[in-house]
Amino acid sequence: MTVEVNPEAVAPSLSAVQDRQAYLNHLLAQRPSLTGLSEVRDSALSIVQERGLPSNRDEDWRFTDLSGLYKTSFAAPTAASLSLEEIDAFILADAPVRLVFVNGFFAPDLSAVDNLPAGLRVSTLANADSLAELGHQPGMTEVFTALNTASFADGAVLHIAKNQMVEAPIHLLYLTTGDTPIITSPRGLVVAEANSAATLIEEYVAVKAESYFTNAVTEVCLGQNAQIHHHRIQREAKTAFHIGTTAVSQDRDSRYALTSLSLGGQMSRHNPVVVPTAEQTDTTLNGLTLAVDQQVADTHSDLSFTGPHCTAQQLHKCIVDNRARAVFNGRVFVPKLAQQTNASQLSRNLLLSAKARVDTKPQLEIIADDVKCAHGATVSQLDDEEVFYLQSRGLDRNSACDLLVEGFAAEIIEKLPIAEQRQTLLNAVLSQIR
Amino acid sequence: MIIDNSDVILSVRNLTADVGGTPILKGLNLEIKAGEIHAIMGPNGSGKSTFSKVLAGHPAYTVTGGEVIYKGQNLLELEPEERSRSGVFLAFQYPLEIPGVSNLDFLRVSCNSKRQHEGLEELDAFDFDDLVRERLDVVKMDPAFLDRSVNEGFSGGEKKRNEILQMALLEPTLAILDETDSGLDIDALKIVANGVNQLAKPDNATLMITHYQRLLDYIVPDFVHVMAEGKILTTGGKELAQELEAKGYDWVKQEEVAV
């Protein structure tokens, strides 16, 4: 498989439907050409062309305006080199296996893939020996997801062998760099065979880049009784665009836990799509969104059961300050054959300014009749009594507010496996609300 | 302990205060000297808790008149955190739960903000850990509570003990205990009272707010004040509490009318 970059960039300047069609053509023109995988890519391309780009008339994008994205033209991604010193702040000493992608291209010099633990195979899409699972997880027909499939240059492939437990977290680091606004399409595929276990940290960051568009997709495929702890951290540049899908399938008795943090981007969207394909699975979805200034951060999760005796817990928290806006739309679908499902979903939101806004829509669609399901949503401001309690113990008002916000965020951040990173991210949250 | 010629710690003169436009305190007078333990008793709605919140600087209460002089300075001019750092401590009737904030971290931040105010060096995590473990003994608290979120999932008794632990770390000059006895079983009450007694020194003072005599069996006051309708109606020694227990509050109010 070889990769070539098409340097042609066309900036659109029309309006409405034509405008979006022109913009889509512009995005498609930025696709790096890639030989191999033509069947998967061709079928994705026809989905993209058939569906077209959404507007806020589409129910799924009702609260999140894409016009800012559609007004920005992006060039095709170009390979760029960074030094280890330049990415030093993102390297996690406690995650010895690291795959780094710069502008969507694998960066072997920045990665650490020697001395792999037993049972872990790591490769890039460009040289993987088997890609049978690629493009076959749920949610692949969503237009930006399909656009990624039609556009990616390379990606990470992790394979955890049957009965193997990989102890240390595996770090997938997707970086964007450069002065030119580019569109990148990071792609990941994680296959956990039966009875295996692993922890992933998937992270999106910028190094000396401001305006760019990351359109990311990660597929996770859990075999019987497999366990994946997945931590997804989006801390792109504040002026960047980020749309990402996490597509997960779970076989019988498997356990999947996602912790997702969205801190960056002027417009960001994350779509976790999880389908337990058999019985007795367990799914945990935890999310934290921080949106400040004029940021718009959207999370659309979709969990659809297909068998009985499954459990799921979801907690999504948003902290919104200034004029920012957060969106949470969490769908849990419990069809007739998913009897004995036990699912809970909670959306908790903290608004720090009068102009901040959150649109939250937890949705439980239950057709089965023998289930235990609960959901709820809360929206609040900082509690004056709590602030006073802390002040009465000597903390000034700002420190008291910081501590309360930290407490709100920590409930999600503390689920990350590496202490050093937890502290970095808590600091990142606090520095943005000050 | 009543000490001749000891310094006045708190002097309250003709204090009046509102909450949401409704007058609650209506001319309260009180003087507390170093070394003394005072108890304010009175029926529900008499303004006892309002008084404690006013002293701590709660923003929901508006002082409309009078003065509060604490260690020679106007207490009412200070922000709540400045009052705390200068040694005023309110043990809350209903300590709040703060999920996600570790009790240990909270105690350290709180303790260090006072140390900083006093020009002392802040304690690092290790030194603070030693200090807090030593102070746990004052309230016989399990160290496991340090690792939990502030008051989250604590029983009523555990929350009150945690308040006294904070007091043991902050070493206040004026400790105000707002119904610290409410909701405590007898064992917890003894532990809390014992903690308060250990912390009472000749250079500090304690103000207990309660409407039960029971607490005063364990923390013996030098003065008992009876409060009703926003002011102190009568003051006596510890035997006044027993009299109240026997006769109720009404006789105090009637005597006031008679005077």
Side-chain angles (χ1 to χ4, degrees):
Chain A
M1 196 166 74
T2 57
V3 176
E4 271 174 35
V5 172
N6 180 347
E8 214 174 293
V10 183
S13 60
L14 297 167
S15 60
V17 179
Q18 282 177 312
D19 195 3
R20 292 203 303 279
Q21 186 55 49
Y23 190 73
L24 178 59
N25 292 338
H26 155 65
L27 292 183
L28 289 171
Q30 314 314 317
R31 293 184 304 149
S33 71
L34 173 144
T35 54
L37 290 169
S38 54
E39 209 175 303
V40 173
R41 287 170 83 86
D42 288 351
S43 113
L45 184 59
S46 43
I47 291 170
V48 174
Q49 281 164 333
E50 193 182 308
R51 297 204 146 191
L53 293 175
S55 73
N56 52 13
R57 293 206 181 140
D58 291 84
E59 180 60 27
D60 274 351
W61 291 90
R62 198 150 67 92
F63 297 110
T64 301
D65 187 5
L66 284 162
S67 60
L69 175 72
Y70 296 164
K71 280 183 199 134
T72 317
S73 64
F74 299 100
T78 48
S81 62
L82 287 169
S83 67
L84 270 171
E85 289 73 37
E86 286 171 293
I87 69 158
D88 186 55
F90 309 111
I91 291 178
L92 300 168
D94 292 333
V97 175
R98 178 176 70 246
L99 277 87
V100 181
F101 291 79
V102 178
N103 295 353
F105 300 94
F106 182 59
D109 297 348
L110 306 178
S111 301
V113 290
D114 301 330
N115 307 317
L116 294 178
L120 175 64
R121 281 204 327 271
V122 162
S123 60
T124 60
L125 282 172
N127 61 20
D129 36 345
S130 162
L131 289 172
E133 292 86 355
L134 189 81
H136 293 291
Q137 305 315 308
M140 291 295 118
T141 56
E142 190 275 327
V143 66
F144 286 102
T145 308
L147 179 64
N148 171 289
T149 308
S151 312
F152 60 76
D154 202 350
V157 182
L158 302 177
H159 212 105
I160 304 117
K162 197 172 171 178
N163 300 328
Q164 297 289 335
M165 190 179 264
V166 177
E167 300 272 354
I170 303 158
H171 193 189
L172 301 174
L173 182 58
Y174 296 102
L175 299 154
T176 303
T177 189
D179 299 331
T180 319
I182 55 167
I183 170 173
T184 68
S185 307
R187 182 77 178 207
L189 173 65
V190 178
V191 179
E193 290 188 6
N195 302 315
S196 68
T199 298
L200 314 174
I201 300 173
E202 176 187 348
E203 195 172 10
Y204 297 88
V205 290
V207 178
K208 291 183 283 181
E210 286 177 5
S211 179
Y212 58 91
F213 175 23
T214 304
N215 183 36
V217 175
T218 297
E219 294 178 80
V220 184
C221 177
L222 286 87
Q224 281 194 14
N225 201 38
Q227 270 190 69
I228 292 286
H229 281 99
H230 187 179
H231 309 275
R232 183 186 198 275
I233 301 155
Q234 182 272 99
R235 44 172 172 154
E236 305 272 23
K238 280 279 277 296
T239 42
F241 298 88
H242 178 104
I243 297 176
T245 290
T246 304
V248 184
S249 66
Q250 286 189 258
D251 204 346
R252 192 193 157 109
D253 297 315
S254 63
R255 285 171 297 281
Y256 175 73
L258 173 68
T259 308
S260 99
L261 262 64
S262 295
L263 309 179
Q266 62 168 296
M267 191 287 293
S268 69
R269 160 92 163 215
H270 181 218
N271 311 304
V273 186
V274 183
V275 178
T277 57
E279 61 202 73
Q280 291 184 174
T281 59
D282 182 68
T283 309
T284 303
L285 301 177
N286 288 305
L288 174 70
T289 297
L290 172 72
V292 299
D293 303 329
Q294 312 251 9
Q295 282 181 290
V296 178
D298 182 348
T299 301
H300 262 64
S301 68
D302 193 330
L303 173 63
S304 301
F305 294 99
T306 62
H309 300 284
C310 294
T311 57
Q313 311 81 42
Q314 180 169 27
L315 172 62
H316 191 84
K317 289 185 154 190
C318 297
I319 302 171
V320 195
D321 199 0
N322 316 116
R323 306 172 75 92
R325 188 164 181 184
V327 181
F328 172 68
N329 188 109
R331 177 175 179 261
V332 176
F333 179 55
V334 187
K336 185 90 186 154
L337 42 74
Q339 299 292 356
Q340 303 276 322
T341 294
N342 183 344
S344 68
Q345 183 184 49
L346 181 61
S347 155
R348 290 191 60 201
N349 304 285
L350 183 60
L351 299 185
L352 297 176
S353 99
K355 296 250 167 74
R357 173 169 171 167
V358 62
D359 293 286
T360 177
K361 190 176 170 194
Q363 293 180 71
L364 264 175
E365 291 174 33
I366 305 171
I367 295 165
D369 50 16
D370 181 15
V371 298
K372 241 198 248 178
C373 293
H375 72 160
T378 63
V379 180
S380 61
Q381 294 166 316
L382 283 180
D383 184 333
D384 288 341
E385 291 298 324
E386 292 180 5
V387 173
F388 174 66
Y389 184 67
L390 296 175
Q391 281 183 287
S392 80
R393 297 299 179 253
L395 280 72
D396 59 50
R397 202 180 153 79
N398 287 342
S399 313
C401 293
D402 280 0
L403 199 61
L404 293 172
V405 173
E406 189 177 330
F408 186 85
E411 196 182 354
I412 304 296
I413 292 179
E414 72 190 7
K415 302 190 187 300
L416 298 174
I418 296 177
E420 177 195 355
Q421 195 181 31
R422 287 198 291 269
Q423 198 53 54
T424 305
L425 292 167
L426 264 181
N427 293 344
V429 168
L430 291 178
S431 69
Q432 291 193 56
I433 56 149
R434 274 179 189 141
Chain B
M1 130 201 12
I2 300 172
I3 307 163
D4 286 343
N5 301 322
S6 71
D7 294 339
V8 174
I9 286 180
L10 185 77
S11 173
V12 180
R13 301 252 174 270
N14 203 24
L15 182 67
T16 56
D18 279 10
V19 60
T22 308
I24 307 283
L25 299 185
K26 300 169 183 169
L28 193 147
N29 293 292
L30 179 69
E31 187 167 279
I32 298 178
K33 290 181 177 172
E36 295 175 350
I37 298 179
H38 290 241
I40 295 184
M41 303 185 74
N44 281 332
S46 56
K48 302 187 303 296
S49 283
T50 296
F51 181 45
S52 70
K53 294 277 175 60
V54 166
L55 290 179
H58 194 293
Y61 300 86
T62 312
V63 173
T64 50
E67 62 174 21
V68 179
I69 305 298
Y70 166 74
K71 291 200 292 189
Q73 60 183 335
N74 181 357
L75 186 71
L76 303 175
E77 278 180 350
L78 305 178
E79 293 296 323
E81 63 271 22
E82 294 168 329
R83 300 180 194 204
S84 167
R85 291 171 194 165
S86 66
V88 175
F89 180 89
L90 172 63
F92 282 64
Q93 183 179 4
Y94 304 109
L96 274 88
E97 300 194 4
I98 306 181
V101 176
S102 113
N103 204 21
L104 183 66
D105 289 347
F106 164 59
L107 293 169
R108 190 177 66 239
V109 172
S110 171
C111 196
N112 277 334
S113 64
K114 180 155 194 238
R115 288 181 69 89
Q116 201 181 22
H117 175 79
E118 288 170 348
L120 299 170
E121 206 173 311
E122 293 190 21
L123 294 175
D124 66 24
F126 298 104
D127 288 340
F128 183 74
D129 209 53
D130 292 344
L131 175 70
V132 78
R133 277 164 205 282
E134 174 205 313
R135 298 293 156 91
L136 281 174
D137 200 41
V138 173
V139 280
K140 310 268 177 261
M141 204 161 122
D142 183 343
F145 284 98
L146 296 173
D147 298 327
R148 291 168 53 178
S149 291
V150 178
N151 293 329
E152 196 185 29
F154 288 27
S155 70
E158 286 156 358
K159 285 180 185 168
K160 297 294 172 84
R161 282 202 232 182
N162 205 26
E163 294 287 286
I164 307 304
L165 173 64
Q166 293 168 27
M167 189 171 138
L169 286 162
L170 294 175
E171 300 178 325
T173 306
L174 176 65
I176 305 157
L177 311 175
D178 186 7
E179 304 209 11
T180 291
D181 50 338
S182 67
L184 292 190
D185 62 35
I186 193 70
D187 293 331
L189 180 69
K190 281 184 188 169
I191 289 169
V192 165
N194 186 34
V196 173
N197 286 329
Q198 284 181 61
L199 298 169
K201 303 271 160 58
D203 61 350
N204 63 25
T206 307
L207 175 62
M208 290 180 282
I209 287 169
T210 181
H211 51 212
Y212 299 112
Q213 142 73 23
R214 194 176 68 151
L215 176 69
L216 310 185
D217 290 340
Y218 298 97
I219 307 172
V220 179
D222 301 304
F223 298 96
V224 173
H225 310 277
V226 180
M227 190 165 169
E229 301 191 358
K231 55 177 122 178
I232 287 172
L233 296 186
T234 188
T235 293
K238 61 175 188 259
E239 60 292 340
L240 178 57
Q242 285 146 11
E243 211 172 339
L244 289 168
E245 183 81 354
K247 298 196 208 165
Y249 290 110
D250 284 347
W251 69 271
V252 180
K253 287 191 203 169
Q254 280 156 12
E255 277 196 2
E256 171 78 0
V257 172
V259 168

